[in-house]
Amino acid sequence: GFGRKTSSQNVISEQEKCQKELEELKLEIQKCKFERDELYQILDLYIYDDWDLRLDVELPILQSEHERRMMAMQMMTNSISDAMERYKELIQANSSYRIRHSQLLREQAQLKNKIQILLNEKREQLVEQTELPASSVEAKRLCEEAGMNICVPSAKQQQV
């Protein structure tokens, strides 16, 4: 029915759930790495006396690096989403092929059954055809005997 999920749908939804959790964990790890890097950079800035100058120089570099990483992460997320969509399409195609294969197997079994029936009918007809000449010879002999029996009494009357 409509309310029940097939085992392949359950597997897909379970895999999707795991995939989402994996993506969330990857994002969390990435955030932690960014925070760690920022803390190291802040510590480095405090070490130098002229940290304002250093901040003015390194901040655009860090912002640029951050943007690159964010774009790479977005591309990876898009790639994963595309792969999941392709995976769903392949599952549906596989299901369609499996259904068609089952239909073809049933049709093949029905055709084999019909062929066997036709072969049996042909065999019966061949047996009947071989019996026909024998029965026609027998019918001819019976007709001749009947003709003799009919002729014999009239021949006896002519003789008397």
Side-chain angles (χ1 to χ4, degrees):
F2 290 104
R4 293 178 37 190
K5 288 186 176 180
T6 65
S7 63
S8 65
Q9 288 173 330
N10 287 335
V11 169
I12 291 171
S13 64
E14 188 64 30
Q15 288 175 346
E16 288 176 348
K17 191 186 304 178
C18 289
Q19 190 68 32
K20 286 181 183 178
E21 288 177 12
L22 179 64
E23 289 176 25
E24 290 172 7
L25 290 173
K26 285 180 181 179
L27 287 174
E28 194 64 36
I29 289 171
Q30 194 66 31
K31 285 180 189 176
C32 290
K33 286 181 182 178
F34 285 136
E35 289 174 7
R36 181 195 65 197
D37 292 343
E38 286 176 4
L39 290 174
Y40 280 138
Q41 290 168 1
I42 290 171
L43 284 173
D44 286 342
L45 291 175
Y46 280 110
I47 293 173
Y48 293 99
D49 292 336
D50 197 11
W51 64 277
D52 280 333
L53 178 63
R54 184 168 179 189
L55 186 61
D56 289 341
V57 170
E58 291 188 7
L59 185 61
I61 296 171
L62 291 174
Q63 287 174 333
S64 172
E65 185 178 333
H66 174 72
E67 287 176 15
R68 271 197 328 254
R69 287 186 180 185
M70 291 303 290
M71 284 177 48
M73 199 164 59
Q74 184 61 41
M75 287 173 50
M76 185 173 56
T77 302
N78 291 344
S79 175
I80 290 170
S81 295
D82 292 345
M84 289 297 293
E85 285 301 314
R86 180 68 180 137
Y87 177 72
K88 288 177 185 177
E89 290 171 7
L90 291 173
I91 293 250
Q92 288 174 345
N94 187 31
S95 177
S96 297
Y97 287 130
R98 189 179 68 247
I99 290 168
R100 183 64 181 140
H101 182 254
S102 297
Q103 289 172 341
L104 291 173
L105 286 176
R106 281 192 299 274
E107 288 176 19
Q108 180 187 21
Q110 290 172 349
L111 288 173
K112 282 183 178 181
N113 190 27
K114 287 180 182 179
I115 288 171
Q116 190 61 43
I117 290 169
L118 290 172
L119 286 173
N120 288 340
E121 288 176 1
K122 182 179 179 181
R123 203 173 291 121
E124 289 173 7
Q125 287 176 353
L126 286 173
V127 168
E128 289 174 6
Q129 285 177 355
T130 56
E131 292 174 353
L132 280 178
S135 63
S136 67
V137 168
E138 180 66 22
K140 187 176 181 182
R141 186 186 61 77
L142 288 173
C143 286
E144 288 175 356
E145 282 181 15
M148 285 183 181
N149 287 339
I150 294 173
C151 291
V152 171
S154 63
K156 286 183 181 179
Q157 287 177 351
Q158 288 177 357
Q159 287 176 354
V160 174

